Amino acid sequence: METPVIRQLQILGLISLWLLIVAVPGDLASYTIGVGRADTTGPTAEVVFMGYAKIDQKGSGLHLRTFSRAFIIDDGEERFVFVSVDSAMIGNGVRKTVLEKLQTQFGSMYTEKNVMISGTHTHSAPGGFMQDMLFDLTTFGFVKETFDAMVAGIARSIERAHNNVVSGRIFITQGEVLGANINRSPAAYLNNPQSERDRYKYDVDKTLTQIQFVGADNKLLGVINWFPVHPTSMNNTNHLVSSDNVGYASILFEKAMNKDSLIGKGPFVAAFASTNLGDVSPNTRGPRCEFSGNKCSEQYTCPGKKEMCFASGPGKDMYESTSIIANKIFKESWRLWQSGNAKEVIGPIRVVHQFVNMPEQTAEFYNETTKRLEEVHGCLPAMGYSFAAGTIDGPGSFAFEQGTTTANPLWNAVRNLLAVPTREDIKCHGAKPILLATGRMTLPYEWQPSVVSTQVALIGNVVIAGVPGEFTTMSGRRLREAIKTVMNEVLDDETTVIVAGLCNTYSDYITTPEEYQIQRYEGASTIYGPYTLSIYLKQYTELVTAALFKRNVDPGPPPANFSNKNLLTFVTPVLFDTPKWGRNFGDCIKQPQKLARPGDTVTAVFISGHPRNNLMTENTFLTVERLTKDEVWVPVATDANWETRFEWQRTSVVLGSSQVTITWQVPEDIKQGEYRIRHNGYYRYILGGIFPYYGVSNHFKVETSGQRFYE
């Protein structure tokens, strides 16, 4: 039995051990560090995006490739892997399959305990990879192409990080980014206690936290940044695969460090990972009625049947807005990188992980009304009415409104056709009128997870809490404070707590109990009931305590495994391709202009096959090429560049004909010279087989700085 005296002695002993380790000079306490990046781009055409739950938002091309960025840290005793993936989220099935692939190569080195995989939450990447029915429903079921591309890319990034490990050092610093995020549910935030809100200057976090990785030989290896913002600058009218604002910020940082490399190919790896972004929008102009431009109602609705309440900005369109937000985040991260003011992280690594069945959990909650400490518990998963209303970043359908706390008999009747919530369910979810009793929906398989992954990594006095969903601003603050309280019992040094969002499992949102009562979209999507956060606060403080004292943690109940099931899919395969009559695959049917200058947009159109015939992972559907003095064509841009767009169009469904439009906005820093556009693709022959093709445009000249070519 652990008495208070024994616990005090344990704490004193641990303090002595921790301070002894922290006191060791940096050159003797270096870590083993590895960084790696890999392409995860899935099908870019005719697959619905994951994020907005809009079934007509099918991909038709490529804006920015998606990547997985892996970071390995090893202190000689424990190894920790953090992975940031340009995806909407991460599911149990994705992580499990990644670990299985790694096991074939590395044995038991990489496990559920020490690998943390975080989704950036871009809403413009292909869906169908979650293996939970609700999340795959709007993508027409499971899409194996998406799943396989994600798994292969994540595993490959970890393999590359493993093969790149060197002795190195870690540094941490923080800065402030203004004008890049707003709270999209201020009414819910204002329901938090006034005394708590008074402790913070803003209703969203403005802090950017940066971890820097430097080799022992001072070689610059990589960086991870955490800043709370939804990657929803690319709105739900977008049909081009994109990593959105945080993905572009990663590209900007890597481009600055890997000066002579194509995008996604250089050795330096920069991630902009998700944190407590639940109620945080990048659309800083705020909500307005779609057509009139008038302010939305208090319920975020607009008059008229078809007019939606949308948030937008700060740019004139979604592309400019994406660029502005990305550059704001990048510039502060770059300033921090160059400032030289980062503090070195020194100390042991401790990683703990536990699966938790949320409906079975209990916790204590202090009721401000009764002034009593109450025992509370989790609920079976359920989604509320306001979930269907969507958010100002992507409004929903029908007549649902945010803030709905009263059920509708008609919608309840529709709901009951799928699953009827019990009286216990209704009571448990409290202020939330249940629209979908997902915890009781098991056909054809699980609709939402009951078992989630919880994980904590301690690196010296830095704590990374991997959470299985989207924490709101105040929920994230409470979690950081709870963890700091535990850490401060042991460490005199200031603790930095990072909430790493959307890790390992996706279980929607986590609001505070007070925010939950307002039933905005986030509260309606807090699927385990009003005390979900209370349970997580208890769980993560217990994990941190276990990590500090090096206690073994029970692995917990495993999540549902669908790997051996026939998952439903209604995504039609590509049957065959044929070119237009009298044409061949790769023919350029619209040539670029003969002369271009910085800022101009160059366009070429090619006869194509279907992009799903080959996802061109670690490759490219297009290159912009420059002719060197040696008469060699060298690539200067690919489909991973911000300046290029790849847009696919089916010209005949019956004949299987299609074409692609490639555009390139000439950069300001371009070299003067002779250029061309190349398209690479694959076509599916009607009698079987997939075959490569390519096409090139006519040459065109680029002039810069007033200089001209003379014929």
Side-chain angles (χ1 to χ4, degrees):
M1 179 177 178
E2 185 184 86
T3 66
V5 173
I6 293 175
R7 175 163 172 75
Q8 288 176 5
L9 290 173
Q10 287 177 323
I11 292 175
L12 288 173
L14 189 58
I15 290 173
S16 301
L17 173 62
W18 215 270
L19 290 178
L20 179 64
I21 296 172
V22 170
V24 176
D27 59 345
L28 297 179
S30 60
Y31 300 95
T32 298
I33 298 168
V35 301
R37 181 200 316 100
D39 191 353
T40 59
T41 308
T44 56
E46 296 191 322
V47 172
V48 179
F49 290 166
M50 181 68 215
Y52 291 113
K54 191 176 179 183
I55 61 174
D56 62 345
Q57 194 187 13
K58 290 184 179 180
S60 62
L62 185 55
H63 173 229
L64 293 173
R65 279 195 173 267
T66 60
F67 293 97
S68 172
R69 296 172 170 91
F71 303 82
I72 294 175
I73 312 169
D74 194 313
D75 67 350
E77 184 177 346
E78 286 206 47
R79 175 166 289 206
F80 170 58
V81 184
F82 180 81
V83 187
S84 178
V85 188
D86 292 327
S87 66
M89 64 278 289
I90 299 297
N92 278 320
V94 169
R95 182 167 178 252
K96 179 178 182 294
T97 311
V98 167
L99 293 174
E100 288 173 351
K101 287 180 71 71
L102 294 173
Q103 187 176 17
T104 61
Q105 187 172 355
F106 303 109
S108 60
M109 181 173 289
Y110 300 110
T111 66
E112 289 168 338
K113 176 188 173 183
N114 66 355
V115 176
M116 183 185 293
I117 308 176
S118 171
T120 63
H121 204 38
T122 175
H123 284 39
S124 291
F129 58 89
M130 285 298 294
Q131 299 182 327
D132 286 306
M133 192 62 195
L134 181 66
F135 304 134
D136 286 348
L137 190 64
T138 55
T139 63
F140 297 96
F142 179 69
V143 183
K144 193 173 188 301
E145 293 163 304
T146 307
F147 184 88
D148 289 348
M150 281 186 63
V151 167
I154 295 169
R156 193 182 300 116
S157 70
I158 297 173
E159 291 167 9
R160 288 174 177 170
H162 177 94
N163 294 331
N164 290 336
V165 293
V166 294
S167 180
R169 299 164 71 181
I170 303 172
F171 300 84
I172 189 166
T173 185
Q174 292 183 321
E176 186 178 68
V177 182
L178 301 178
N181 58 3
I182 62 170
N183 194 305
R184 70 184 188 189
S185 290
Y189 179 86
L190 288 172
N191 207 45
N192 291 308
Q194 177 75 48
S195 58
E196 183 179 35
R197 288 185 281 114
D198 287 345
R199 294 167 53 198
Y200 302 99
K201 186 176 180 180
Y202 304 104
D203 62 359
V204 292
D205 289 333
K206 304 289 185 179
T207 300
L208 182 146
T209 301
Q210 181 177 99
I211 290 183
Q212 304 169 359
F213 301 94
V214 180
D217 58 356
N218 291 323
K219 180 182 178 181
L220 307 179
L221 304 176
V223 64
I224 311 174
N225 294 279
W226 286 271
F227 179 77
V229 66
H230 252 80
T232 49
S233 292
M234 301 293 290
N235 61 42
N236 65 12
T237 67
N238 172 47
H239 290 272
L240 300 182
V241 170
S242 176
S243 55
D244 213 295
N245 45 43
V246 292
Y248 185 35
S250 292
I251 288 172
L252 289 170
F253 206 120
E254 291 178 346
K255 188 176 179 181
M257 296 299 294
N258 301 319
K259 295 185 183 297
D260 297 324
S261 300
L262 292 172
I263 301 301
K265 300 298 182 183
F268 188 92
V269 179
F272 283 74
S274 62
T275 178
N276 56 321
L277 50 69
D279 54 356
V280 187
S281 170
N283 298 304
T284 55
R285 198 175 292 143
R288 293 277 178 175
C289 291
E290 184 179 7
F291 305 126
S292 67
N294 296 329
K295 287 186 177 180
C296 305
S297 71
E298 290 184 2
Q299 289 75 37
Y300 289 84
T301 61
C302 294
K305 293 183 178 180
K306 294 185 178 180
E307 190 169 21
M308 297 288 187
C309 177
F310 265 108
S312 63
K316 65 179 183 293
D317 59 28
M318 60 183 170
Y319 294 101
E320 185 176 74
S321 295
T322 301
S323 178
I324 291 171
I325 299 301
N327 273 279
K328 281 180 177 289
I329 302 169
F330 161 68
K331 286 176 181 176
E332 176 60 15
S333 65
W334 187 250
R335 185 192 69 80
L336 293 173
W337 179 264
Q338 293 183 310
S339 69
N341 296 326
K343 183 179 180 181
E344 184 162 9
V345 178
I346 302 171
I349 296 173
R350 301 286 184 263
V351 190
V352 291
H353 175 274
Q354 187 174 51
F355 286 115
V356 176
N357 191 324
M358 288 296 289
E360 296 180 356
Q361 301 307 302
T362 60
E364 290 184 335
F365 173 74
Y366 182 75
N367 191 319
E368 288 284 351
T369 303
T370 63
K371 305 298 181 183
R372 291 181 179 177
L373 204 61
E374 301 175 355
E375 183 177 87
V376 295
H377 57 88
C379 311
L380 278 176
M383 302 295 275
Y385 273 59
S386 297
F387 148 74
T391 73
I392 59 173
D393 290 335
S397 304
F398 304 105
F400 291 102
E401 296 181 0
Q402 292 197 62
T404 299
T405 55
T406 304
N408 179 292
L410 175 61
W411 284 114
N412 279 358
V414 175
R415 171 201 67 194
N416 292 346
L417 296 174
L418 298 172
V420 181
T422 65
R423 289 184 179 180
E424 181 183 346
D425 294 335
I426 294 170
K427 180 181 178 181
C428 188
H429 283 274
K432 178 202 295 178
I434 296 175
L435 180 64
L436 292 173
T438 51
R440 299 196 179 276
M441 297 163 69
T442 57
L443 294 175
Y445 38 83
E446 177 185 84
W447 279 60
Q448 283 182 302
S450 290
V451 175
V452 301
S453 163
T454 62
Q455 192 173 20
V456 163
L458 273 61
I459 309 165
N461 63 333
V462 176
V463 181
I464 301 177
V467 298
E470 303 177 55
F471 274 55
T472 61
T473 298
M474 195 63 85
S475 292
R477 289 169 175 172
R478 290 186 189 178
L479 181 60
R480 290 196 296 262
E481 290 302 313
I483 292 174
K484 281 184 181 180
T485 299
V486 175
M487 292 292 291
N488 289 341
E489 290 184 357
V490 175
L491 291 180
D492 291 331
D493 200 7
E494 183 179 354
T495 299
T496 301
V497 180
I498 297 164
V499 176
L502 298 110
C503 286
N504 305 334
T505 308
Y506 184 66
S507 58
D508 289 85
Y509 283 75
I510 300 92
T511 58
T512 68
E514 296 86 352
E515 292 166 347
Y516 184 91
Q517 301 305 313
I518 304 301
Q519 280 299 290
R520 294 276 297 165
Y521 175 85
E522 295 82 12
S525 303
T526 298
I527 66 175
Y528 304 120
Y531 304 108
T532 301
L533 176 62
S534 303
I535 293 169
Y536 280 132
L537 294 180
K538 174 188 176 185
Q539 173 67 13
Y540 280 90
T541 53
E542 289 178 353
L543 290 182
V544 171
T545 301
L548 285 169
F549 287 93
K550 296 190 68 175
R551 292 175 183 159
N552 292 325
V553 174
D554 184 272
N561 181 8
F562 303 117
S563 59
N564 296 322
K565 289 194 175 184
N566 292 321
L567 300 173
L568 291 181
T569 180
F570 299 99
V571 178
T572 55
V574 180
L575 299 178
F576 62 89
D577 296 290
T578 60
K580 286 184 177 179
W581 181 259
R583 294 287 189 175
N584 295 312
F585 291 110
D587 282 357
C588 186
I589 59 175
K590 180 182 178 181
Q591 297 290 349
Q593 64 263 42
K594 294 182 179 180
L595 180 65
R597 294 184 176 87
D600 290 349
T601 299
V602 179
T603 302
V605 180
F606 296 86
I607 299 295
S608 76
H610 201 296
R612 282 171 54 201
N613 291 329
N614 188 310
L615 304 184
M616 305 297 281
T617 305
E618 301 283 335
N619 207 327
T620 177
F621 288 107
L622 70 91
T623 53
V624 179
E625 300 173 336
R626 180 175 57 85
L627 189 64
T628 67
K629 294 179 180 179
D630 299 326
E631 298 295 313
V632 176
W633 290 99
V634 296
V636 299
T638 68
D639 60 19
N641 282 70
W642 173 266
E643 299 82 12
T644 62
R645 292 182 199 170
F646 175 80
E647 300 178 71
W648 175 83
Q649 179 185 3
R650 175 69 83 188
T651 56
S652 174
V653 175
V654 175
L655 299 177
S657 302
S658 55
Q659 65 186 39
V660 294
T661 300
I662 295 172
T663 56
W664 176 52
Q665 186 174 27
V666 183
E668 295 297 327
D669 60 351
I670 196 70
K671 289 183 180 180
Q672 183 167 276
E674 192 166 352
Y675 289 78
R676 71 180 185 184
I677 294 175
R678 177 186 177 104
H679 165 50
N680 307 294
Y682 285 75
Y683 69 90
R684 184 181 291 273
Y685 188 45
I686 193 169
L687 298 180
I690 297 175
F691 304 94
Y693 69 89
Y694 75 93
V696 293
S697 72
N698 292 342
H699 307 176
F700 59 93
K701 295 175 180 178
V702 173
E703 291 182 350
T704 62
S705 304
Q707 299 177 12
R708 293 185 177 276
F709 286 91
Y710 293 94
E711 300 291 339

